[in-house]
Amino acid sequence: MSTVTALLARLATEVRDDVEALGARVLVEIDAGLPELGRDPRVRELLVATVQGSLEGALVVLTGRAQDDVPLPPVAGELARRLAQQGVPVTVVLRAYRLGQSVFQQELIGRIAGSGLGTAEVGDAVRALTAVAFGYVDRVSEEMVAVHQAERDGWVRRRDAARLAMVDAVLAGRGGTVTEVEAALGHPVAGEHLAAVLWVDPDAPDPGRALERAVADVGAALGCTRAPLVVAPDAVTSWAWYPGTGGPATLPPGPVSVALGGPGRGLDGFRGAHRRARRVQEVVTAAAPAARLPVTTADDLGPLLLLDAGTDLLADRVAEILGDLAIDDEQHARLRDTLAAYLRGGGSLVAAAGELHLHKNTVQYRLRRAEEVRGRPLGDDRLDVEVALLACRVLGATVLRPAD
């Protein structure tokens, strides 16, 4: 056995005789750096036992035992599970171990320095001590992180399942009073809330993370200062209720589509706003991919929200109303856009020109051309034309005729 190895083994034996005092010093450091760990009596009990068990394990390794032969303190896993259940980040667990490692190394380095060895041997001993300390802490930390993550994932799944069950009950007209629902969900439902449905392509990379980001981005775009209620009916869909009425939300194009169902108040509004959001989702899902917007509101769909016909029937009706104006190419799209702006402006050439940033004569020419392509002038079917144009804008190629 080398001089350094023998020294570390002897010092480890000496420290083991007074390991409770060393553990008390570690707890003082943890209390100062992580005061939140001392608030729960059961966590405190587990923390004390974990500190003692970890110090004893590290000292056993210093006596010459192989790291893999020294079992980890079972109580450390219980501590990790309890912290995960309380929502304490795993970074706090790792920080606690680093604080303990610092006190442990300082104690042993002080003893090495007073051992009477030469400078070179002291350096060798400190390096050997550091390798053992880091190796042991890394091993314990990896184990605790795995336990913490597994418990956290399970806890989140159980919480989400309970929330989803309550949301399903409320949407079905059950669930109890407002007070009972709020207690079960941990979210206010008595006031105003804006319902949203978010969904992502199943083939998108990390769909769960993409949905999580989108939920936060929509909240920021709506100006929400409080977190929404979010449940996941499946792996690629999230239902959300944002506090307040919000405003128009805009998002850059991405893998997540968002349907907003408008605001509602109380339990009836909770249900009604969600029904509208689901209906918006149905219409957007039926649209051609190129026509879909990142965010679609109930107001964007207008009367299309009330239609329950299949897309084939709707496409037939669009063709019947618009004729060749329903051809899917750039030229006819310009004519449709001009006609839609003219109708939105109440039949005003000036209003349409201002909206489209065109000369009034250009608008007038396009309107004549649109009537020629359609095959008949605007008459008593203006409302039908507006609905058909809206369907073209929202659904795109789903209701348009190929340009062949």
Side-chain angles (χ1 to χ4, degrees), residues 353-373:
E355 178 183 337
L356 299 172
H357 305 292
L358 296 173
H359 192 278
K360 184 176 71 172
N361 291 343
T362 302
V363 173
Q364 190 171 33
Y365 167 77
R366 288 187 181 179
L367 290 175
R368 286 199 303 267
R369 181 64 185 145
E371 290 185 333
E372 291 172 2
V373 171

Side-chain angles (χ1 to χ4, degrees), residues 98-139:
R98 294 307 178 195
L99 290 172
Q101 179 185 356
S102 175
V103 174
F104 176 80
Q105 287 189 233
Q106 289 172 19
E107 172 68 24
L108 269 297
I109 289 173
R111 291 175 180 257
I112 291 171
S115 65
L117 292 179
T119 302
E121 290 178 315
V122 166
D124 291 340
V126 170
R127 282 190 291 273
L129 167 68
T130 301
V132 169
F134 271 99
Y136 183 80
V137 169
D138 282 347
R139 179 168 167 245

Side-chain angles (χ1 to χ4, degrees), residues 46-57:
L46 293 171
L47 178 62
V48 172
T50 298
V51 168
Q52 292 296 124
S54 298
L55 289 174
E56 291 171 1

